[in-house]
Every structure is written in structure tokens, then in C-alpha cells.
């Protein structure tokens, strides 16, 4: 039976489109990852990506929502946030000047993660951040959920 069992564990949480839900998603992430060395970084990533989904897409509309997925294996933690679409631009790392008050979140995510990718289009995008263990495998991947 063990040959059919996956060592990857996957969790998902769908949150209504209000900023208070970002805090719930952050706490949930810390709870799921428990004593993982990546728990704090993953929680910060969820905070940034969840806030971006609410601020820049229809996820933040009264009937909107965003979805958080966590995939955990012995080599990698994958943190994915999927928005409800409506944005005409692709999330990118910005380099605001010193006085700028926005545009640093995705840069922070990129600094914490070993790899960040964005999939999807105007109907909804998934941003996935990969946090590899210290003995990480270069070819390790997780599929966004």
C-alpha cells in the first residue's frame, strides 16, 4: 500500500474577499506548517499575495474570494494564492523609489522564496512561491492548486 501513498501533503483554504481574511489566512498557514522552518516566511508570503489579490483583482469585491494552497514535502514548501481575476496586468516585482508607499510586496516574496512563478490570465492568476529545504532538490516542483 505504501507505494501508492504520496509524501506530499496539500492543504487549501478559500477566503472571502475582505482584508480581515488575510490575517486568517496567515494564521492558518502558520498552524498548518507548525514547526516547519518555513512557517514564518510562508505566512508572510500568504499575507503579501493575499493582500495583492484583494487590492488588485475582483477578489476584493463584496462577492470576491481568494484561495490559498500549501503543498509540503521533505524538500519544498509551495505557497500558492489564486485570485478571482479581473486584473489586466501581470504581477511583477517593482522597484519603487524611497518615498513610494506601494510596490514592495512581490519583491519581498521574491526575496524570501527561491523561485516565484505566475500562471493564469485575466480570469484568475495563481502566484506560487517555492521555499526549498536546506537540502532542497534543484528540480523539485509543486503544481499550483
Amino acid at each position: 500500500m505504501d507505494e501508492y501513498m504520496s509524501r506530499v501533503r496539500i492543504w487549501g483554504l478559500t477566503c472571502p474577499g475582505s482584508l480581515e481574511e488575510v490575517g486568517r489566512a496567515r494564521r492558518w498557514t502558520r498552524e498548518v506548517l507548525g514547526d516547519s522552518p518555513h512557517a514564518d516566511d510562508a505566512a508572510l508570503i500568504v499575507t503579501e499575495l493575499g493582500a495583492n489579490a484583494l487590492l488588485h483583482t475582483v477578489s476584493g469585491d463584496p462577492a470576491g474570494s481568494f484561495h490559498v494552497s500549501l503543498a509540503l514535502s521533505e524538500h519544498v514548501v509551495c505557497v500558492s494564492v489564486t485570485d478571482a481575476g479581473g486584473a489586466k496586468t501581470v504581477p511583477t516585482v517593482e522597484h519603487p523609489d524611497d518615498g513610494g508607499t506601494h510596490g514592495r510586496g512581490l519583491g519581498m516574496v521574491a526575496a524570501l522564496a527561491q523561485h516565484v512563478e505566475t500562471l493564469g490570465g485575466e480570469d484568475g492568476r495563481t502566484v506560487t512561491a517555492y521555499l526549498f529545504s536546506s537540502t532542497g532538490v534543484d528540480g523539485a516542483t509543486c503544481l499550483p492548486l
Side-chain angles (χ1 to χ4, degrees), residues 101-119:
T101 59
H102 296 286
R104 290 180 177 79
L106 200 53
M108 188 174 1
V109 170
L112 292 170
Q114 284 73 37
H115 180 69
V116 178
E117 67 183 8
T118 302
L119 299 173

Side-chain angles (χ1 to χ4, degrees), residues 10-16 20-32 46 50 65-71 80-83 145:
I10 300 170
W11 296 264
L13 175 70
T14 299
C15 298
E20 293 81 22
E21 293 297 315
V22 173
R24 182 168 72 104
R26 179 179 52 247
R27 289 186 301 276
W28 174 81
T29 299
R30 280 197 179 112
E31 183 178 318
V32 167
V46 164
S65 65
F66 65 98
H67 184 79
V68 179
S69 298
L70 301 174
S80 298
V81 174
T82 303
D83 64 48
L145 303 173

Side-chain angles (χ1 to χ4, degrees), residues 37-38 73-76 114 131-140:
H38 296 300
S73 75
E74 64 182 298
H75 299 291
V76 64
Q114 284 73 37
L131 303 166
F132 296 109
S133 69
S134 59
T135 60
V137 177
D138 290 337

Side-chain angles (χ1 to χ4, degrees), residues 41-112:
D41 289 346
L44 181 56
I45 289 168
V46 164
T47 300
E48 291 299 327
L49 296 180
N52 283 350
L54 294 175
L55 294 172
H56 302 295
T57 74
V58 297
S59 289
D61 289 354
S65 65
F66 65 98
H67 184 79
V68 179
S69 298
L70 301 174
L72 175 65
S73 75
E74 64 182 298
H75 299 291
V76 64
V77 173
C78 295
V79 180
S80 298
V81 174
T82 303
D83 64 48
K88 302 221 183 286
T89 59
V90 176
T92 57
V93 174
E94 296 179 12
H95 303 284
D97 57 18
D98 290 342
T101 59
H102 296 286
R104 290 180 177 79
L106 200 53
M108 188 174 1
V109 170
L112 292 170

